[in-house]
Amino acid sequence: MFDRRQLIAAGAIAGLAAKAEAQAAQPVKLSTPCVVSTWDFGVAANGAAWKVLAKGGAALDAVEAGARVPEADLSNHSVGRAGYPDRDGHVSLDASIMDQRGDCGAVAGLEHIAHPISVARRVMEKTPHVLLVGDGALQFAVEQGFKREELLTPQSRKAWKAWLKEHRYDPVANSEVKTYGRDLGLPGGKTNHDTLGMLALDARSDLSGACTTSGMAWKLRGRVGDSPIIGAGLYVDNEVGAATSTGVGEEVIRNVGSFLVVELMRQGRSPRDACREAVQRILRRNVTRDPDFQVGFLAISKKGEVGAWAVQKGFSYACCDSASQVRIVQSESFS
């Protein structure tokens, strides 16, 4: 069990391979253009974003294209149409997007629409608002031509029915990796799902970011985490850098985490050190009832410097530039 009263200065965490372990101990510097995203499944998302960036495309277009990949992935139970439902059996999705000008859009509690990231972009570009929620977000999406469909897949329904037998909410850290592609429809199967956060720097040195999720499995109906909250789950400042988060959204919201990371970078911190300080502040004032909670931050600077830090080991992120499109790095952490 992680004791948050003892902050341990961590070195590099053993990764998926020795190469990943070596990478974690050194600053990550990518060439421009580039894109980074949370978790191992970010590799596929980065691949879609790279197709845009490699042709000289805009970072905004790249992050939207990248985020749509996990949203459509039926093996991913933490993002999009295959996400696990709330405790009442409803799949509700959250997403946000932000560009180099500081324009942003978001949706929360959106049901029946498979690609919330694209709806979030429409909110940014077609309305005077930043955030639409629930039935209003659905109405807007349908009016914009998005297809209404059933998102609860047979596999997700099976997992929900199994959870109902014991009716126990028991989140698990790093479940983005643990639940990927697995059938968790067993009685008492523990799960908690989370986020794809993506940050891109294009050939014009413009930054944009996207964040998309289906939220915590078995959450209370109407619960919204940090992903659609600008400044919490995502923040972009084209003069400085960009940041995104993953893990228990309530803790990130309470600390306006991604905004904090970018502001620390503005003060001269590296992306790694800014993420570390943001996690440390959460630990100092943490009010979660879960002693094994996870929060992680990922950041990129205007120069393509990348860094991350997490509460617990197990958080990984994917990096993509002209040198490699499949690089995975294990984040440093306090445990």
Side-chain angles (χ1 to χ4, degrees):
M1 180 178 294
F2 177 72
D3 185 353
R4 57 180 178 269
R5 293 171 298 180
Q6 297 179 353
L7 302 182
I8 303 171
I13 300 300
L16 299 179
K19 181 178 180 180
E21 181 178 4
Q23 290 170 348
Q26 301 296 326
V28 177
K29 177 67 168 67
L30 303 180
S31 61
T32 303
C34 58
V35 58
V36 296
S37 58
T38 56
W39 304 108
D40 297 8
F41 56 76
V43 170
N46 285 355
W50 181 249
K51 290 180 180 179
V52 176
L53 294 172
K55 296 178 181 178
L60 181 65
D61 295 330
V63 296
E64 181 187 8
R68 287 174 62 93
V69 171
E71 287 180 344
D73 185 354
L74 296 181
S75 295
N76 193 324
H77 299 299
S78 63
V79 177
R81 60 175 303 112
Y84 286 148
D86 60 30
R87 58 189 61 195
D88 295 323
H90 302 275
V91 177
S92 60
L93 309 179
D94 307 328
S96 63
I97 195 165
M98 192 169 187
D99 69 12
Q100 75 278 7
R101 295 181 296 271
D103 290 336
C104 48
V107 291
L110 177 63
E111 298 181 25
H112 304 298
I113 303 295
H115 289 293
I117 194 63
S118 294
V119 183
R121 182 169 179 176
R122 295 287 182 89
V123 172
M124 179 181 75
E125 295 178 340
K126 302 294 185 180
T127 82
H129 309 306
V130 169
L131 176 63
L132 295 181
V133 304
D135 291 343
L138 175 59
Q139 177 183 337
F140 173 77
V142 172
E143 290 173 351
Q144 289 293 310
F146 290 89
K147 178 184 176 182
R148 178 173 177 149
E149 55 188 301
E150 176 57 61
L151 299 184
L152 187 61
T153 65
Q155 187 178 15
S156 294
R157 182 184 295 276
K158 179 183 177 182
W160 172 59
K161 291 291 187 181
W163 175 80
L164 285 175
K165 292 180 180 179
E166 293 195 4
H167 206 71
R168 184 179 70 238
Y169 179 62
D170 194 1
V172 173
N174 305 319
S175 66
E176 296 82 0
V177 175
K178 296 174 183 177
T179 66
Y180 188 87
R182 293 182 56 194
D183 179 2
L184 299 181
L186 299 175
K190 296 189 294 185
T191 184
N192 177 17
H193 48 159
D194 215 286
T195 311
L196 185 284
M198 174 174 280
L199 310 170
L201 179 67
D202 64 28
R204 293 174 290 279
S205 293
D206 284 332
L207 288 158
S208 289
C211 195
T212 183
T213 185
S214 51
M216 288 184 171
W218 337 130
K219 62 193 176 187
L220 283 174
R221 185 155 169 75
R223 180 265 183 186
V224 174
D226 63 309
S227 297
I229 308 299
I230 299 299
L234 176 69
Y235 196 73
V236 176
D237 186 323
N238 209 43
E239 295 181 352
V240 180
T244 189
S245 63
T246 188
V248 179
E250 284 77 4
E251 296 306 315
V252 179
I253 292 171
R254 290 184 180 107
N255 294 273
V256 200
S258 291
F259 177 80
L260 172 60
V261 170
V262 173
E263 284 303 296
L264 289 167
M265 290 166 62
R266 183 189 297 279
Q267 296 169 17
R269 304 284 187 97
S270 68
R272 171 193 178 273
D273 290 346
C275 291
R276 185 183 188 277
E277 173 62 23
V279 171
Q280 195 166 40
R281 291 195 190 186
I282 287 175
L283 290 169
R284 285 172 181 159
R285 58 185 297 187
N286 171 250
V287 297
T288 184
R289 297 177 181 177
D290 177 12
D292 293 321
F293 82 105
Q294 174 70 304
V295 166
F297 291 104
L298 173 64
I300 186 170
S301 75
K302 185 78 170 176
K303 298 178 181 179
E305 300 163 333
V306 180
W309 202 279
V311 173
Q312 301 189 59
K313 63 182 179 180
F315 172 42
S316 60
Y317 60 97
C319 299
C320 174
D321 64 2
S322 59
S324 173
Q325 289 83 60
V326 295
R327 184 180 181 186
I328 296 174
V329 180
Q330 293 296 309
S331 171
E332 294 175 275
S333 68
F334 283 118
S335 69

